[in-house]
Amino acid sequence: MSIKPPETVWLKLTRVADQLPFLSSPPVLKVLPETIHPLIVVPGFLGSWPSAFSLAGGKLDPITGVYTGLIEGLRRIGYVPGISLFPFPYDWRLGVEDTGVQLGQEIQAIRRLSPLAVTKHSSVNVDYSKVDILAHSMGGLVSRAYVQSNAYAEDVRRLILCATPNKGAVAAYYGYEGGETSYIGVPTASAKIMVGLMEARTFRNPLTRVRLTVQAARGQADYDLQQYLSQQTASVRDLLPLGRTNYLYCLNEAGEEQVYPYGSRPGYPVNASIEKLDDPEQLARLDKVEEIRVFYSNSQRTRRRVLVQDRYAQSQPLYEHGYPVDPQPPESFGPGDTIVTEESAKLDLPETKPDGSDWRVKVVHKEVSGPTGQGVDHVQLVGDPSPIRYLLDYLTADGAEPLTVEHWDCLPVLKRKPNYLALFI
């Protein structure tokens, strides 16, 4: 009789097997349809290390392993890396539109793959005529940027958006104007470490890279995050809320709310990227996708507005368009996942397209916390076992048995320790 190793040991062995493909993996569950399309996993902001800064190609968040469980789960149900499963790491400092161009190029490369390899490595057939995209957070905006661009080749079948800020995220204002990243899920000290690590990888001299990497990992790299995020990280501006949401407000002498009057018109930085995506003609291009599935959480208290004061009155060098009051009143919050509100995560299309015709694309919204029986935040939605199983169920064949802990499990995000060594492997 064989004795199954403890769960934590088993999960560690599985991660080793992921890095060493010649080791055997757990048996594949036979739950996928007979024919599937290649699945591209597009991570969110801070969620990857681009190929230009990695010795072994791009990686999905190798330090904290946010997407490790998701990739493990996809492999468990039958997706095969390089055959039907394609992570898409990218330089998250670039703007959404530029990264969307790269995504389109990646899709074209995948479609040119030979179906002959499928019979040797996959338990199901793979149709390379189109791809499916599973995108998290900013990755959803990147995916939309490609699908809604002039370069779109009608090669995306299903678009799966997980916690995507389709109307922007108020948390980005704190980073863009104040260099505070804690409200986007990353402590400011950790963000400085990650920026330091990214910058260290740009040096060609290996000794310089190692020295700067060690300094960054120890927290000795000190960057002006506000300047870095506003001037060297185009994506942060692409994450700001839509201007029409009037997300900055103040109180007059009578205690009444009013749109904040300070700074350049309209009183806050404008997200031109999402404004462009929401243009009716641009939005109509989504009709060339068969289905859009939106997964979101509404179980967490999430910033939807920011009560601010005049930064000059506060003698503050940051927050040009308004200094946030701390703590924020209850009126500044709404349901969401701590970063993206429910309202922003939903992709609500107009009743008809600009030409008056009906929509063909099917848009389905799925709230995750209720079905999984747990409060789910922005990272847990794609990082914890229960929400991942809920996502995986959508990809299985009609009539397949719902996935349970007995089928597949993984460590929750909060129990994973940072692994800086993964940057060099």
Side-chain angles (χ1 to χ4, degrees), residues 259-316:
V259 177
Y260 192 63
Y262 304 106
S264 59
R265 297 183 63 186
Y268 38 72
V270 175
N271 188 332
S273 177
I274 300 183
E275 295 279 3
K276 180 179 178 180
L277 290 177
D278 277 3
D279 176 82
E281 295 292 338
Q282 292 280 330
L283 205 59
R285 296 182 178 183
L286 290 174
D287 209 30
K288 296 180 180 180
V289 177
E290 292 182 18
E291 181 175 275
I292 301 175
R293 183 66 60 110
V294 177
F295 291 93
Y296 67 94
S297 170
N298 62 9
S299 62
Q300 307 292 326
R301 194 165 172 258
T302 306
R303 281 174 170 78
R304 63 185 183 90
R305 301 187 298 165
V306 186
L307 175 62
V308 295
Q309 297 175 334
D310 184 354
R311 64 144 177 169
Y312 298 106
Q314 299 296 314
S315 300
Q316 291 291 335

Side-chain angles (χ1 to χ4, degrees), residues 243-420:
R244 64 175 180 268
T245 60
N246 292 330
Y247 63 92
L248 297 187
Y249 72 103
C250 63
L251 303 178
N252 60 21
E253 295 181 355
E256 300 169 331
E257 291 187 9
Q258 63 184 39
V259 177
Y260 192 63
Y262 304 106
S264 59
R265 297 183 63 186
Y268 38 72
V270 175
N271 188 332
S273 177
I274 300 183
E275 295 279 3
K276 180 179 178 180
L277 290 177
D278 277 3
D279 176 82
E281 295 292 338
Q282 292 280 330
L283 205 59
R285 296 182 178 183
L286 290 174
D287 209 30
K288 296 180 180 180
V289 177
E290 292 182 18
E291 181 175 275
I292 301 175
R293 183 66 60 110
V294 177
F295 291 93
Y296 67 94
S297 170
N298 62 9
S299 62
Q300 307 292 326
R301 194 165 172 258
T302 306
R303 281 174 170 78
R304 63 185 183 90
R305 301 187 298 165
V306 186
L307 175 62
V308 295
Q309 297 175 334
D310 184 354
R311 64 144 177 169
Y312 298 106
Q314 299 296 314
S315 300
Q316 291 291 335
L318 302 176
Y319 292 107
E320 173 187 354
H321 296 89
Y323 188 78
V325 171
D326 187 26
Q328 287 287 307
E331 293 77 17
S332 292
F333 297 86
D337 61 21
T338 69
I339 297 178
V340 179
T341 63
E342 175 182 1
E343 180 184 7
S344 181
K346 288 184 175 180
L347 183 61
D348 297 317
L349 300 178
E351 287 189 15
T352 61
K353 292 187 291 185
D355 62 3
S357 62
D358 294 330
W359 292 92
R360 292 172 299 176
V361 62
K362 181 181 179 182
V363 181
V364 180
H365 295 91
K366 291 290 184 180
E367 200 284 318
V368 173
S369 299
T372 59
Q374 69 178 76
V376 177
D377 67 23
H378 189 75
V379 174
Q380 290 173 326
L381 197 148
V382 292
D384 276 9
S386 293
I388 291 176
R389 284 192 294 268
Y390 188 65
L391 296 178
L392 296 179
D393 279 334
Y394 170 60
L395 297 169
T396 60
D398 292 339
E401 181 183 353
L403 299 175
T404 63
V405 175
E406 287 70 27
H407 293 120
W408 173 82
D409 202 8
C410 71
L411 282 176
V413 171
L414 293 178
K415 292 187 178 181
R416 301 175 195 169
K417 297 181 179 180
N419 179 18
Y420 295 105

